[in-house]
Amino acid sequence: MCGRYVATRSPQDLAGLFHVSRWNPEQLLAPSWNVAPTDDVWAVLERPDRGTGEVARQLRALRWGLVPSWAKSVDVGAKMINARMETVHEKPAYRRAFAKRRCLLPADGFYEWQAVPVEGRAKPRKQPYFISPEDGQPMAMAGLYEFWRDPDVADDDPSAWWTTCTIITTEATDAAGRVHPRMPLAIAPAHYDAWLDPTHQDPEELRALLTTPADGHLNARAVSPAVNDVRNNGPHLLEDAPGDDRSDPGGSGG
């Protein structure tokens, strides 16, 4: 699964990188080195303009943890932070969003954990690894988004509608696979248009666009265990793990 990631780029940078034509400058999210489920995250998506009907590429803040339109409570989103690539096109919670509501979730990289035996202790400790593209370029994680209407809020209240998202995952390979069996999927820049196009709805063609981040050229290194606590944040979380020389389990990520 993908349960934490890093997203530090500004909306101005993201708008340029992803050729966004519309975003609200008043909508701000602080850089985060410890993005966690139910946090608000930046997403790139395409939707028709309400006035003209013209499809525009937008940058929006969405809540991580998809809530299907038929859900009775927003709380279900905390359990739906990931959608499996193998079944995303057929699962009731995701299939409509996969057909019509796809997005990109920009990230610097993501975290996974590996159990490390500790001498004299029955339970192993959890060592976090930061996994990111070797070239330092941002990842465009493949995501889905959905709208949910809160039945307990009045129609004229803007908070009546929630927009939530999930990350599509697959079996892990290369550096990520040596740490954890699952990893997020990504969309290559050449396929942004096809992935975001809401009129593109062929399941097999869409699944063919899903790729390993950075074509598998990933680096995995042990980082500070401070990231284990979702209350911790800041660039210090990416510091090398103290006293741990296992910066890349099993070799280089290339």
Side-chain angles (χ1 to χ4, degrees), residues 35-243:
V35 179
T38 73
D39 283 352
D40 284 347
V41 299
W42 287 123
V44 178
L45 54 90
E46 291 187 357
R47 291 192 60 78
D49 181 88
R50 290 184 179 180
T52 66
E54 182 180 353
V55 174
R57 185 167 297 182
Q58 307 173 26
L59 182 67
R60 289 193 185 186
L62 310 185
R63 185 180 192 260
W64 184 20
L66 188 138
V67 181
S69 59
W70 40 260
K72 294 183 179 179
S73 169
V74 72
D75 294 340
V76 304
K79 299 178 181 179
M80 302 181 70
I81 62 171
N82 292 162
R84 295 176 67 92
M85 184 267 197
E86 297 87 344
T87 57
V88 66
H89 59 299
E90 57 190 16
K91 286 283 187 180
Y94 303 120
R95 63 189 178 197
R96 290 180 63 187
F98 185 72
K100 299 181 178 181
R101 289 179 287 277
R102 298 175 300 276
C103 62
L104 302 173
L105 299 169
D108 303 350
F110 60 97
Y111 295 107
E112 290 297 356
W113 280 259
Q114 190 175 68
V116 178
V118 179
E119 187 176 353
R121 291 175 54 183
K123 288 187 177 181
R125 64 179 176 86
K126 285 188 173 182
Q127 173 60 56
Y129 283 80
F130 179 60
I131 302 170
S132 60
E134 289 180 346
D135 61 8
Q137 293 299 306
M139 294 168 46
M141 296 189 295
L144 310 176
Y145 69 97
E146 190 58 272
F147 297 102
W148 182 76
R149 171 70 168 82
D150 188 339
D152 297 326
V153 179
D155 289 339
D156 57 355
D157 189 331
S159 66
W161 285 94
W162 295 65
T163 313
T164 60
C165 61
T166 190
I167 297 170
I168 300 177
T169 64
T170 189
E171 291 185 6
T173 58
D174 298 321
R178 288 187 285 272
V179 178
H180 193 274
R182 303 290 296 181
M183 69 181 296
L185 280 162
I187 303 296
H191 297 150
Y192 289 171
D193 292 351
W195 177 255
L196 295 175
D197 182 357
T199 66
H200 188 186
Q201 299 182 16
D202 183 280
E204 292 309 310
E205 290 181 1
L206 292 168
R207 281 159 55 86
L209 302 178
L210 298 166
T211 61
T212 302
D215 291 327
H217 294 282
L218 298 168
N219 177 61
R221 60 184 181 85
V223 294
S224 169
V227 73
N228 295 350
D229 189 333
V230 296
R231 295 170 295 183
N232 295 330
N233 212 321
H236 66 283
L237 298 182
L238 296 184
E239 294 176 357
D240 290 339

